Amino acid sequence: MSDDAIADGPVTGKPDPVLEVRGLEKAFGGLQVTDDVDLDVERGTITGLIGPNGAGKSTLFNLVSGFYEPDGGTVRVNGTAVTGAEPHAVANAGLVRTFQTPRKLEGMTVREAMLVGPQHQTGESVLSVFTNRGQVVAEERANLERAMETLERFEIARFADTPATELSGGQMKLVELARATMTDPDILLLDEPIAGVNPTLANKLKGFIRDLNDDGITFLVIEHDMDFIMDLADPIVVLDQGSVLVEGDPGSVRTDDRVIDAYLGGPLDE
């Protein structure tokens, strides 16, 4: 293994990071869940985030995306400080996340759920509905057209009029990914995108993620399926006991003794 392939701790100071995390800390009671995390996600990459159960991966996502307030440290998105900001403010800076268990929007069809995504809609202001009605109508028409095009791209347009609560878990994974793209994110955080889905859908999701990455979206992906994430992502960041253990290319991470030890001595593909 070359020294360049993998390094102790995080690789910081990347040329064009979308996401910069420095010294991030979070404890719940006496348990230190996130411990002085430094992490950069380079623009244009699909970066994988792995680690054993309890390593702090989802907590890190919640801290970065504004769902938890950190005890210490900083978070920057596109150079803008968003430490402790509300999720909508983090989204406005360019970072959006999905959840391991997609949240079904009660009382909405899939089409309506898609229309929640677009940012900075004129119709969000009650005053604009009366003073800029033409612009509001034009934006709504454009958003509706884009929503349907996005549903078609993800091969779920047939569910447009289906109540979101009636979709299967796998179908909701597709809807949530499609809805996230409606926000035009610079970086999209995916929390276990293939958890509970069949292999055919997992392969489709991998293809969609790659296509979106080709379109310019940067990804940070938590995933327990090692074959999936090692094939999809580069670099791979390994979190253990709340801290970054190593970062490197998939081949180096898979064979690194420290990573294998973190997974209780078992090979990563088991």
Side-chain angles (χ1 to χ4, degrees), residues 2-24:
S2 71
D3 291 337
D4 292 334
I6 195 164
D8 287 310
V11 178
T12 59
K14 295 178 180 176
D16 187 19
V18 184
L19 173 64
E20 300 168 89
V21 175
R22 295 290 181 273
L24 207 59

Side-chain angles (χ1 to χ4, degrees), residues 111 114-115 118 121 137-153 157 160 182:
R111 179 188 286 107
M114 291 289 291
L115 294 175
Q121 300 179 67
V137 170
E139 285 184 4
E140 289 180 347
R141 186 179 296 115
N143 287 334
L144 180 58
E145 182 177 344
R146 182 182 174 196
M148 291 307 301
E149 290 173 351
T150 303
L151 289 174
E152 288 172 1
R153 177 178 188 175
M182 292 284 290

Side-chain angles (χ1 to χ4, degrees), residues 120-143:
H120 310 301
Q121 300 179 67
T122 305
E124 292 175 354
S125 166
V126 174
L127 180 61
S128 295
V129 173
F130 297 99
T131 60
N132 296 305
R133 180 164 179 78
Q135 182 177 348
V136 170
V137 170
E139 285 184 4
E140 289 180 347
R141 186 179 296 115
N143 287 334

Side-chain angles (χ1 to χ4, degrees), residues 8-209:
D8 287 310
V11 178
T12 59
K14 295 178 180 176
D16 187 19
V18 184
L19 173 64
E20 300 168 89
V21 175
R22 295 290 181 273
L24 207 59
E25 302 268 355
K26 186 65 179 179
F28 295 101
L31 179 63
Q32 191 72 37
V33 181
T34 305
D35 188 9
D36 195 27
V37 171
D38 287 352
L39 173 68
D40 285 357
V41 177
E42 178 73 3
R43 193 177 308 276
T45 64
I46 301 175
T47 298
L49 181 63
I50 68 172
N53 289 332
K57 302 181 297 297
S58 290
T59 298
L60 178 60
F61 265 29
N62 285 330
L63 291 168
V64 167
S65 57
F67 287 87
Y68 290 166
E69 184 171 352
D71 297 330
T74 61
V75 180
R76 300 178 73 87
V77 177
N78 287 318
T80 299
V82 296
T83 312
E86 293 293 326
H88 71 271
V90 179
N92 286 339
L95 183 148
V96 175
R97 58 86 53 92
T98 67
F99 293 83
Q100 181 179 346
T101 302
R103 296 176 296 178
K104 298 183 178 182
L105 299 179
E106 298 284 343
M108 288 189 180
T109 65
V110 169
R111 179 188 286 107
E112 290 166 341
M114 291 289 291
L115 294 175
V116 174
Q119 303 287 314
H120 310 301
Q121 300 179 67
T122 305
E124 292 175 354
S125 166
V126 174
L127 180 61
S128 295
V129 173
F130 297 99
T131 60
N132 296 305
R133 180 164 179 78
Q135 182 177 348
V136 170
V137 170
E139 285 184 4
E140 289 180 347
R141 186 179 296 115
N143 287 334
L144 180 58
E145 182 177 344
R146 182 182 174 196
M148 291 307 301
E149 290 173 351
T150 303
L151 289 174
E152 288 172 1
R153 177 178 188 175
F154 285 86
E155 302 175 9
I156 48 177
R158 65 188 182 280
F159 299 120
D161 295 316
T162 302
T165 52
E166 294 182 9
L167 297 181
S168 69
Q171 291 163 350
M172 275 304 303
K173 292 270 189 181
L174 288 170
V175 170
E176 187 172 45
L177 180 57
R179 188 160 65 94
T181 68
M182 292 284 290
T183 66
D184 294 318
D186 293 305
I187 180 169
L188 184 50
L189 277 55
L190 305 182
D191 192 349
E192 296 197 41
I194 67 165
V197 308
N198 61 55
T200 299
L201 181 53
N203 283 331
K204 280 190 175 182
L205 281 164
K206 184 187 296 182
F208 290 141
I209 293 167

